[in-house]
Amino acid sequence: MDQLSAMRCFARVVETGNFTRAADSLEMPNATLSKQVQELEAHLGVRLLQRTTRRVTVTSEGRDYYEKATRILHDLEDIDTSFSVSRSKPRGNLRIDIGSSTASDVLIPALPDFMARYPDIRIDLGVSDRSVDLISDNVDCVLRGGPLDSSSLVARHIGSAGFVTCATPAYLKQFGVPAYPDELKNGHRLVSYVSSQNGRAVPFRFEYKGEKTEIKVEHRVGVNESNAHLAAGLAGLGIIQTFSYAAGAALKDGSLVEILKKWRPAPYPFHVVYPQNRHVTHRLRVFIDWLVECFPEKVGVS
């Protein structure tokens, strides 16, 4: 038995919760991975995993072994990296998950610079406003805005984006230009961004001289994807509140007009997030450093 390989196989099963996903992430046959885990259990004389036809669960002994084994694996990777990073270029596959408008308006236009700096890194970009599970979906990192809700993840702040409230000139000509946020409750048509996680409409938020206001009214149209949400505003369906970088081109060419400027809410923080129990590879480290360098300029708020 190759004990080190067996430890890696077992750790990936725990992290993904599935033998098939673990085998795919390690690029080995499912049968090979399963055999290595079985040999590891036989070597230790304990059951590390409980297997059924539907799921895999970790035993108490397996959880204890996982914590000790991952420390060893991380230490070994750190040793290897300390000797190899200075003599090699980062290479390999990097799986990133990101929201739709942030991908199309910020990251993808900037990626040619990253690819030119690091030609041996391959990017797999998952684009969706739905949050993924970094462990089970085998994602290296995610870029997300807003508050963080998991202590099992490591987050690095990479910048903040401004919000704008806007509508088409035709809409404002028909319904009027509101001077205060409360006027949105009186006859205006709102296009809400609907969370793909809980199905709830995100309220319109405003702030002026420290005074914060939230407008929660029944929307005429709700959209759960950021690019489509902007498209609904451009179609004249109503007033939208979106990121300034997403609406920037439309505001510049006059397709949309910003309203309630002095009531702009506070900038929205963005983070790059990755699991705390996973080794930060050389390729992930240079990607994060690159994001910290370029992201604030792309979103327009430092």
Side-chain angles (χ1 to χ4, degrees):
M1 180 190 67
D2 182 340
Q3 187 170 0
L4 189 59
S5 176
M7 289 168 65
R8 288 194 176 103
C9 290
F10 167 70
R12 289 305 296 147
V13 173
V14 174
E15 291 165 356
T16 62
N18 182 285
F19 274 80
T20 300
R21 285 196 293 261
D24 288 344
S25 70
L26 294 173
E27 298 182 346
M28 67 169 57
N30 196 339
T32 301
L33 180 138
S34 180
K35 181 180 179 182
Q36 292 210 23
V37 173
Q38 290 173 4
E39 289 177 345
L40 180 63
E41 289 180 319
H43 170 74
L44 296 172
V46 297
R47 179 65 67 100
L48 301 174
L49 301 169
Q50 293 287 358
R51 307 159 179 82
T52 68
T53 55
R54 292 190 176 184
R55 59 180 301 184
V56 175
T57 56
V58 187
T59 65
S60 59
E61 293 86 356
R63 179 60 61 185
D64 184 53
Y65 186 80
Y66 171 78
E67 292 175 358
K68 292 179 171 63
T70 51
R71 285 199 294 269
I72 294 171
L73 293 172
H74 292 169
D75 288 344
L76 180 61
E77 288 173 339
D78 285 340
I79 293 170
D80 290 345
T81 299
S82 67
F83 282 95
S84 63
V85 166
S86 61
R87 300 192 303 273
S88 67
K89 296 180 180 179
R91 62 180 66 247
N93 197 52
L94 196 58
R95 297 191 63 188
I96 305 160
D97 192 81
I98 185 172
S100 300
S101 67
T102 314
S104 57
D105 297 318
V106 180
L107 182 62
I108 291 175
L111 268 183
D113 173 65
F114 179 80
M115 304 304 290
R117 295 191 199 186
Y118 306 105
D120 295 324
I121 295 180
R122 302 185 307 275
I123 299 290
D124 285 334
L125 201 60
V127 180
S128 170
D129 287 349
R130 177 189 65 86
S131 295
V132 300
D133 186 317
L134 280 83
I135 303 299
S136 63
D137 291 331
N138 195 31
V139 175
D140 292 293
C141 68
V142 300
L143 277 70
R144 284 291 182 263
L148 302 173
D149 56 4
S150 177
S151 59
S152 65
L153 302 174
V154 179
R156 184 170 176 183
H157 182 256
I158 54 175
S160 297
F163 267 115
V164 291
T165 308
C166 49
T168 61
Y171 172 90
L172 296 173
K173 182 178 180 180
Q174 180 179 356
F175 293 95
V177 180
Y180 299 95
D182 281 347
E183 293 182 22
L184 298 182
K185 301 175 183 178
N186 302 320
H188 277 286
R189 299 178 176 181
L190 304 185
V191 179
S192 293
Y193 179 80
V194 177
S195 169
S196 59
Q197 302 304 304
N198 56 31
R200 298 173 184 170
V202 176
F204 281 55
R205 296 186 172 95
F206 301 93
E207 184 173 345
Y208 178 61
K209 292 184 177 180
E211 179 185 351
K212 296 181 180 181
T213 302
E214 284 192 357
I215 303 298
K216 298 179 181 179
V217 298
E218 186 174 347
H219 55 258
R220 184 177 180 87
V221 177
V223 185
N224 71 351
E225 194 275 335
S226 48
N227 286 324
H229 179 241
L230 176 64
L234 287 166
L237 291 173
I239 296 172
I240 63 171
Q241 190 172 74
T242 188
F243 293 121
S244 54
Y245 64 74
L251 292 170
K252 186 175 182 179
D253 67 20
S255 301
L256 291 174
V257 176
E258 184 179 2
I259 59 175
L260 301 168
K261 287 185 179 182
K262 69 179 183 180
W263 287 89
R264 283 183 182 177
Y268 200 67
F270 274 80
H271 298 84
V272 57
V273 182
Y274 54 93
Q276 65 178 352
N277 63 347
R278 185 178 297 174
H279 177 69
V280 179
T281 62
H282 191 194
R283 58 185 176 272
L284 178 56
R285 194 181 305 279
V286 298
F287 177 71
I288 293 172
D289 290 342
W290 174 79
L291 279 176
V292 172
E293 174 189 334
C294 76
F295 195 88
E297 178 185 353
K298 297 299 181 181
V299 297
V301 179
S302 62

